[in-house]
Amino acid sequence: MTSARAAVRAGSVLVALALWQLASLQHLDARVVNFANLPAPTDVARATWEFLHSPKIGYHVKNSLLRVFIGFGAASLVGIALGVAIGRSKRIEDALLPSLEILRPIPGVAWIPLAILMFPSTEGSIVFITFIGALFPIVLNTIHGIESLDPRLVLASRSLGAKTWSILREVVLPGALPSIVTGLSIGMGSAWFCLVTAEMIAGQYGIGYYTWESYNLQRYPDIVVGMLFIGFFGMASSALVKHAGLWLMPWYQPNKGGS
């Protein structure tokens, strides 16, 4: 990224903060949106400083990170395996895809009552919600990557004597990897979304629980602090997945589509 683009991006953030500060201080009431009770960026900055020095920050951050990475890790293994199986076999597709398509539109929050009933511990139910949130983007993008693979590559490999597992390892998975990485990145974002929702309802620690508790206690700046932490960790973890994918695909150059 050039210095000019970095300056534009930094400037846009500063302008947004300035407008937010002005609207909060002036108690702007635009009828549709009321800023009278919205904390100003300066209030959020003070609350962030206090949260960073709070003894509870370690519990909140550690619990959220553990939950999201355990759920995302399990969803990655199951999702890629399902996606490869469905993408490579019409019989498996006919057997599994209809059920997955029925379950896919159900939001994570709708799974919470069943998750509480199915799992004996709160932690298990929250990890399951996170798993569900990440699973479907990974499955669908893996299927797309497998089905988009040029069949001539597979035929050429077979004509050269490659066996099924060799074709899968050397041709199919590398060819589908860009789509798989995209699914993993989207799945990580979905995992955070579902995690926070589950923590608000069923958690005792975690960033989502901290945000909801702040609302109940009318600590409005702390609500924004929780939202910012969610955004930061979600962005950082998705970027980590993306960079790990690019490291696994040194041959792949994404198209930026412009200057």
Side-chain angles (χ1 to χ4, degrees), residues 29-60:
D29 186 357
R31 294 187 180 181
V32 177
V33 180
N34 185 3
F35 289 87
N37 296 318
L38 188 70
T42 50
D43 300 325
V44 175
R46 285 193 292 269
T48 302
W49 179 260
E50 294 175 359
F51 181 58
L52 289 173
H53 291 81
S54 168
K56 292 185 177 181
I57 184 174
Y59 294 103
H60 290 307

mmCIF file of all heavy atoms in Angstrom, residues 29-60:
data_model
loop_
_atom_site.group_PDB
_atom_site.id
_atom_site.type_symbol
_atom_site.label_atom_id
_atom_site.label_comp_id
_atom_site.label_asym_id
_atom_site.label_seq_id
_atom_site.Cartn_x
_atom_site.Cartn_y
_atom_site.Cartn_z
ATOM 1 N N ASP A 29 -30.067 15.300 17.302
ATOM 2 C CA ASP A 29 -31.273 14.494 17.156
ATOM 3 C C ASP A 29 -31.751 14.619 15.718
ATOM 4 O O ASP A 29 -32.336 15.633 15.326
ATOM 5 C CB ASP A 29 -32.358 14.960 18.120
ATOM 6 C CG ASP A 29 -33.575 14.037 18.104
ATOM 7 O OD1 ASP A 29 -33.571 13.081 17.301
ATOM 8 O OD2 ASP A 29 -34.519 14.277 18.883
ATOM 9 N N ALA A 30 -31.461 13.592 14.925
ATOM 10 C CA ALA A 30 -31.850 13.596 13.515
ATOM 11 C C ALA A 30 -33.169 12.865 13.304
ATOM 12 O O ALA A 30 -33.450 12.379 12.204
ATOM 13 C CB ALA A 30 -30.743 12.953 12.677
ATOM 14 N N ARG A 31 -33.982 12.756 14.364
ATOM 15 C CA ARG A 31 -35.284 12.090 14.346
ATOM 16 C C ARG A 31 -35.148 10.580 14.133
ATOM 17 O O ARG A 31 -35.601 9.795 14.959
ATOM 18 C CB ARG A 31 -36.195 12.703 13.277
ATOM 19 C CG ARG A 31 -36.574 14.160 13.571
ATOM 20 C CD ARG A 31 -37.601 14.674 12.583
ATOM 21 N NE ARG A 31 -37.941 16.064 12.886
ATOM 22 C CZ ARG A 31 -38.832 16.771 12.195
ATOM 23 N NH1 ARG A 31 -39.469 16.206 11.159
ATOM 24 N NH2 ARG A 31 -39.085 18.018 12.532
ATOM 25 N N VAL A 32 -34.529 10.196 13.046
ATOM 26 C CA VAL A 32 -34.331 8.762 12.821
ATOM 27 C C VAL A 32 -33.255 8.224 13.753
ATOM 28 O O VAL A 32 -33.373 7.135 14.312
ATOM 29 C CB VAL A 32 -33.951 8.497 11.351
ATOM 30 C CG1 VAL A 32 -33.671 7.014 11.128
ATOM 31 C CG2 VAL A 32 -35.063 8.969 10.417
ATOM 32 N N VAL A 33 -32.182 8.991 13.942
ATOM 33 C CA VAL A 33 -31.070 8.597 14.807
ATOM 34 C C VAL A 33 -30.866 9.692 15.839
ATOM 35 O O VAL A 33 -30.746 10.872 15.499
ATOM 36 C CB VAL A 33 -29.774 8.388 13.997
ATOM 37 C CG1 VAL A 33 -28.638 7.978 14.925
ATOM 38 C CG2 VAL A 33 -29.982 7.333 12.921
ATOM 39 N N ASN A 34 -30.810 9.285 17.115
ATOM 40 C CA ASN A 34 -30.635 10.235 18.209
ATOM 41 C C ASN A 34 -29.283 9.995 18.869
ATOM 42 O O ASN A 34 -29.010 8.899 19.351
ATOM 43 C CB ASN A 34 -31.766 10.071 19.223
ATOM 44 C CG ASN A 34 -31.722 11.115 20.321
ATOM 45 O OD1 ASN A 34 -30.866 12.011 20.309
ATOM 46 N ND2 ASN A 34 -32.636 11.020 21.270
ATOM 47 N N PHE A 35 -28.426 11.020 18.889
ATOM 48 C CA PHE A 35 -27.088 10.900 19.464
ATOM 49 C C PHE A 35 -27.023 11.433 20.898
ATOM 50 O O PHE A 35 -25.939 11.580 21.447
ATOM 51 C CB PHE A 35 -26.079 11.673 18.599
ATOM 52 C CG PHE A 35 -25.806 11.039 17.271
ATOM 53 C CD1 PHE A 35 -26.609 11.331 16.181
ATOM 54 C CD2 PHE A 35 -24.759 10.154 17.105
ATOM 55 C CE1 PHE A 35 -26.363 10.750 14.946
ATOM 56 C CE2 PHE A 35 -24.502 9.571 15.882
ATOM 57 C CZ PHE A 35 -25.311 9.870 14.797
ATOM 58 N N ALA A 36 -28.179 11.718 21.504
ATOM 59 C CA ALA A 36 -28.166 12.350 22.825
ATOM 60 C C ALA A 36 -27.505 11.467 23.875
ATOM 61 O O ALA A 36 -26.791 11.949 24.759
ATOM 62 C CB ALA A 36 -29.593 12.694 23.240
ATOM 63 N N ASN A 37 -27.739 10.166 23.825
ATOM 64 C CA ASN A 37 -27.195 9.241 24.820
ATOM 65 C C ASN A 37 -25.954 8.498 24.330
ATOM 66 O O ASN A 37 -25.419 7.654 25.051
ATOM 67 C CB ASN A 37 -28.257 8.220 25.225
ATOM 68 C CG ASN A 37 -29.448 8.861 25.914
ATOM 69 O OD1 ASN A 37 -29.281 9.747 26.744
ATOM 70 N ND2 ASN A 37 -30.650 8.433 25.550
ATOM 71 N N LEU A 38 -25.511 8.803 23.133
ATOM 72 C CA LEU A 38 -24.350 8.112 22.585
ATOM 73 C C LEU A 38 -23.070 8.676 23.182
ATOM 74 O O LEU A 38 -22.859 9.893 23.163
ATOM 75 C CB LEU A 38 -24.316 8.256 21.065
ATOM 76 C CG LEU A 38 -23.268 7.425 20.335
ATOM 77 C CD1 LEU A 38 -23.637 5.943 20.402
ATOM 78 C CD2 LEU A 38 -23.148 7.864 18.874
ATOM 79 N N PRO A 39 -22.199 7.838 23.760
ATOM 80 C CA PRO A 39 -20.948 8.355 24.325
ATOM 81 C C PRO A 39 -20.029 8.894 23.239
ATOM 82 O O PRO A 39 -19.983 8.362 22.131
ATOM 83 C CB PRO A 39 -20.336 7.131 25.013
ATOM 84 C CG PRO A 39 -20.937 5.957 24.309
ATOM 85 C CD PRO A 39 -22.322 6.376 23.914
ATOM 86 N N ALA A 40 -19.306 9.946 23.563
ATOM 87 C CA ALA A 40 -18.368 10.548 22.635
ATOM 88 C C ALA A 40 -17.085 9.720 22.570
ATOM 89 O O ALA A 40 -16.798 8.926 23.480
ATOM 90 C CB ALA A 40 -18.044 11.976 23.067
ATOM 91 N N PRO A 41 -16.290 9.878 21.510
ATOM 92 C CA PRO A 41 -15.020 9.155 21.417
ATOM 93 C C PRO A 41 -14.103 9.390 22.615
ATOM 94 O O PRO A 41 -13.368 8.487 23.016
ATOM 95 C CB PRO A 41 -14.400 9.694 20.129
ATOM 96 C CG PRO A 41 -15.564 10.097 19.298
ATOM 97 C CD PRO A 41 -16.589 10.611 20.265
ATOM 98 N N THR A 42 -14.143 10.594 23.193
ATOM 99 C CA THR A 42 -13.307 10.856 24.372
ATOM 100 C C THR A 42 -13.755 10.013 25.560
ATOM 101 O O THR A 42 -12.918 9.517 26.329
ATOM 102 C CB THR A 42 -13.372 12.350 24.736
ATOM 103 O OG1 THR A 42 -14.750 12.771 24.786
ATOM 104 C CG2 THR A 42 -12.643 13.194 23.688
ATOM 105 N N ASP A 43 -15.069 9.836 25.715
ATOM 106 C CA ASP A 43 -15.579 8.966 26.783
ATOM 107 C C ASP A 43 -15.173 7.509 26.542
ATOM 108 O O ASP A 43 -14.803 6.794 27.482
ATOM 109 C CB ASP A 43 -17.106 9.061 26.863
ATOM 110 C CG ASP A 43 -17.588 10.468 27.161
ATOM 111 O OD1 ASP A 43 -16.909 11.179 27.919
ATOM 112 O OD2 ASP A 43 -18.641 10.855 26.616
ATOM 113 N N VAL A 44 -15.242 7.083 25.293
ATOM 114 C CA VAL A 44 -14.857 5.719 24.952
ATOM 115 C C VAL A 44 -13.365 5.501 25.191
ATOM 116 O O VAL A 44 -12.941 4.434 25.656
ATOM 117 C CB VAL A 44 -15.225 5.409 23.483
ATOM 118 C CG1 VAL A 44 -14.716 4.028 23.075
ATOM 119 C CG2 VAL A 44 -16.732 5.493 23.286
ATOM 120 N N ALA A 45 -12.554 6.522 24.887
ATOM 121 C CA ALA A 45 -11.115 6.409 25.115
ATOM 122 C C ALA A 45 -10.813 6.215 26.600
ATOM 123 O O ALA A 45 -9.966 5.385 26.973
ATOM 124 C CB ALA A 45 -10.405 7.648 24.575
ATOM 125 N N ARG A 46 -11.507 6.955 27.461
ATOM 126 C CA ARG A 46 -11.300 6.782 28.907
ATOM 127 C C ARG A 46 -11.755 5.399 29.365
ATOM 128 O O ARG A 46 -11.072 4.747 30.170
ATOM 129 C CB ARG A 46 -12.056 7.869 29.672
ATOM 130 C CG ARG A 46 -11.420 9.247 29.625
ATOM 131 C CD ARG A 46 -12.040 10.184 30.642
ATOM 132 N NE ARG A 46 -13.424 10.491 30.282
ATOM 133 C CZ ARG A 46 -13.790 11.525 29.537
ATOM 134 N NH1 ARG A 46 -12.863 12.346 29.057
ATOM 135 N NH2 ARG A 46 -15.057 11.748 29.279
ATOM 136 N N ALA A 47 -12.892 4.959 28.849
ATOM 137 C CA ALA A 47 -13.383 3.636 29.227
ATOM 138 C C ALA A 47 -12.449 2.537 28.731
ATOM 139 O O ALA A 47 -12.246 1.523 29.414
ATOM 140 C CB ALA A 47 -14.792 3.430 28.663
ATOM 141 N N THR A 48 -11.871 2.734 27.553
ATOM 142 C CA THR A 48 -10.917 1.755 27.029
ATOM 143 C C THR A 48 -9.689 1.671 27.921
ATOM 144 O O THR A 48 -9.186 0.568 28.213
ATOM 145 C CB THR A 48 -10.490 2.143 25.599
ATOM 146 O OG1 THR A 48 -11.646 2.210 24.759
ATOM 147 C CG2 THR A 48 -9.518 1.116 25.030
ATOM 148 N N TRP A 49 -9.185 2.807 28.358
ATOM 149 C CA TRP A 49 -8.021 2.833 29.252
ATOM 150 C C TRP A 49 -8.328 2.093 30.553
ATOM 151 O O TRP A 49 -7.512 1.318 31.046
ATOM 152 C CB TRP A 49 -7.625 4.280 29.529
ATOM 153 C CG TRP A 49 -6.458 4.419 30.455
ATOM 154 C CD1 TRP A 49 -6.482 4.700 31.798
ATOM 155 C CD2 TRP A 49 -5.072 4.268 30.116
ATOM 156 N NE1 TRP A 49 -5.227 4.724 32.316
ATOM 157 C CE2 TRP A 49 -4.326 4.478 31.312
ATOM 158 C CE3 TRP A 49 -4.388 3.991 28.943
ATOM 159 C CZ2 TRP A 49 -2.945 4.406 31.332
ATOM 160 C CZ3 TRP A 49 -3.003 3.920 28.971
ATOM 161 C CH2 TRP A 49 -2.305 4.130 30.151
ATOM 162 N N GLU A 50 -9.530 2.314 31.095
ATOM 163 C CA GLU A 50 -9.913 1.636 32.335
ATOM 164 C C GLU A 50 -10.057 0.127 32.111
ATOM 165 O O GLU A 50 -9.656 -0.668 32.973
ATOM 166 C CB GLU A 50 -11.222 2.224 32.857
ATOM 167 C CG GLU A 50 -11.108 3.686 33.312
ATOM 168 C CD GLU A 50 -12.454 4.266 33.700
ATOM 169 O OE1 GLU A 50 -13.473 3.534 33.599
ATOM 170 O OE2 GLU A 50 -12.494 5.449 34.087
ATOM 171 N N PHE A 51 -10.622 -0.264 30.955
ATOM 172 C CA PHE A 51 -10.797 -1.686 30.672
ATOM 173 C C PHE A 51 -9.450 -2.378 30.495
ATOM 174 O O PHE A 51 -9.262 -3.518 30.949
ATOM 175 C CB PHE A 51 -11.652 -1.854 29.417
ATOM 176 C CG PHE A 51 -11.925 -3.283 29.052
ATOM 177 C CD1 PHE A 51 -12.561 -4.141 29.932
ATOM 178 C CD2 PHE A 51 -11.550 -3.781 27.811
ATOM 179 C CE1 PHE A 51 -12.814 -5.462 29.594
ATOM 180 C CE2 PHE A 51 -11.788 -5.094 27.471
ATOM 181 C CZ PHE A 51 -12.424 -5.940 28.358
ATOM 182 N N LEU A 52 -8.523 -1.699 29.841
ATOM 183 C CA LEU A 52 -7.200 -2.283 29.632
ATOM 184 C C LEU A 52 -6.460 -2.506 30.947
ATOM 185 O O LEU A 52 -5.578 -3.366 31.026
ATOM 186 C CB LEU A 52 -6.370 -1.377 28.724
ATOM 187 C CG LEU A 52 -6.790 -1.336 27.246
ATOM 188 C CD1 LEU A 52 -5.995 -0.278 26.492
ATOM 189 C CD2 LEU A 52 -6.612 -2.698 26.593
ATOM 190 N N HIS A 53 -6.795 -1.734 31.973
ATOM 191 C CA HIS A 53 -6.155 -1.880 33.282
ATOM 192 C C HIS A 53 -7.038 -2.628 34.281
ATOM 193 O O HIS A 53 -6.710 -2.686 35.465
ATOM 194 C CB HIS A 53 -5.797 -0.496 33.842
ATOM 195 C CG HIS A 53 -4.700 0.188 33.074
ATOM 196 N ND1 HIS A 53 -4.923 0.863 31.901
ATOM 197 C CD2 HIS A 53 -3.365 0.288 33.320
ATOM 198 C CE1 HIS A 53 -3.781 1.362 31.447
ATOM 199 N NE2 HIS A 53 -2.828 1.023 32.280
ATOM 200 N N SER A 54 -8.133 -3.196 33.783
ATOM 201 C CA SER A 54 -9.027 -3.943 34.653
ATOM 202 C C SER A 54 -8.510 -5.368 34.831
ATOM 203 O O SER A 54 -8.001 -5.976 33.882
ATOM 204 C CB SER A 54 -10.439 -3.963 34.063
ATOM 205 O OG SER A 54 -11.261 -4.901 34.744
ATOM 206 N N PRO A 55 -8.624 -5.939 36.025
ATOM 207 C CA PRO A 55 -8.180 -7.334 36.217
ATOM 208 C C PRO A 55 -9.039 -8.338 35.468
ATOM 209 O O PRO A 55 -8.625 -9.490 35.279
ATOM 210 C CB PRO A 55 -8.306 -7.525 37.734
ATOM 211 C CG PRO A 55 -9.303 -6.515 38.181
ATOM 212 C CD PRO A 55 -9.120 -5.338 37.281
ATOM 213 N N LYS A 56 -10.227 -7.940 35.012
ATOM 214 C CA LYS A 56 -11.123 -8.862 34.315
ATOM 215 C C LYS A 56 -10.835 -8.978 32.827
ATOM 216 O O LYS A 56 -11.393 -9.850 32.163
ATOM 217 C CB LYS A 56 -12.579 -8.425 34.514
ATOM 218 C CG LYS A 56 -13.086 -8.580 35.934
ATOM 219 C CD LYS A 56 -14.558 -8.242 36.016
ATOM 220 C CE LYS A 56 -15.094 -8.460 37.427
ATOM 221 N NZ LYS A 56 -16.543 -8.158 37.520
ATOM 222 N N ILE A 57 -10.000 -8.088 32.281
ATOM 223 C CA ILE A 57 -9.782 -8.109 30.833
ATOM 224 C C ILE A 57 -9.190 -9.443 30.378
ATOM 225 O O ILE A 57 -9.547 -9.965 29.323
ATOM 226 C CB ILE A 57 -8.868 -6.933 30.394
ATOM 227 C CG1 ILE A 57 -8.738 -6.920 28.867
ATOM 228 C CG2 ILE A 57 -7.501 -6.996 31.065
ATOM 229 C CD1 ILE A 57 -7.980 -5.720 28.339
ATOM 230 N N GLY A 58 -8.316 -10.016 31.191
ATOM 231 C CA GLY A 58 -7.712 -11.294 30.827
ATOM 232 C C GLY A 58 -8.747 -12.396 30.720
ATOM 233 O O GLY A 58 -8.697 -13.217 29.792
ATOM 234 N N TYR A 59 -9.709 -12.438 31.642
ATOM 235 C CA TYR A 59 -10.749 -13.456 31.604
ATOM 236 C C TYR A 59 -11.633 -13.290 30.370
ATOM 237 O O TYR A 59 -11.958 -14.264 29.689
ATOM 238 C CB TYR A 59 -11.613 -13.382 32.869
ATOM 239 C CG TYR A 59 -10.881 -13.740 34.135
ATOM 240 C CD1 TYR A 59 -10.466 -12.759 35.020
ATOM 241 C CD2 TYR A 59 -10.603 -15.072 34.458
ATOM 242 C CE1 TYR A 59 -9.789 -13.083 36.194
ATOM 243 C CE2 TYR A 59 -9.936 -15.411 35.618
ATOM 244 C CZ TYR A 59 -9.528 -14.410 36.484
ATOM 245 O OH TYR A 59 -8.862 -14.726 37.637
ATOM 246 N N HIS A 60 -12.032 -12.041 30.102
ATOM 247 C CA HIS A 60 -12.912 -11.796 28.967
ATOM 248 C C HIS A 60 -12.229 -12.163 27.647
ATOM 249 O O HIS A 60 -12.800 -12.881 26.816
ATOM 250 C CB HIS A 60 -13.333 -10.325 28.945
ATOM 251 C CG HIS A 60 -14.256 -9.945 30.052
ATOM 252 N ND1 HIS A 60 -15.435 -10.615 30.315
ATOM 253 C CD2 HIS A 60 -14.190 -8.938 30.977
ATOM 254 C CE1 HIS A 60 -16.053 -10.054 31.342
ATOM 255 N NE2 HIS A 60 -15.310 -9.041 31.758
#
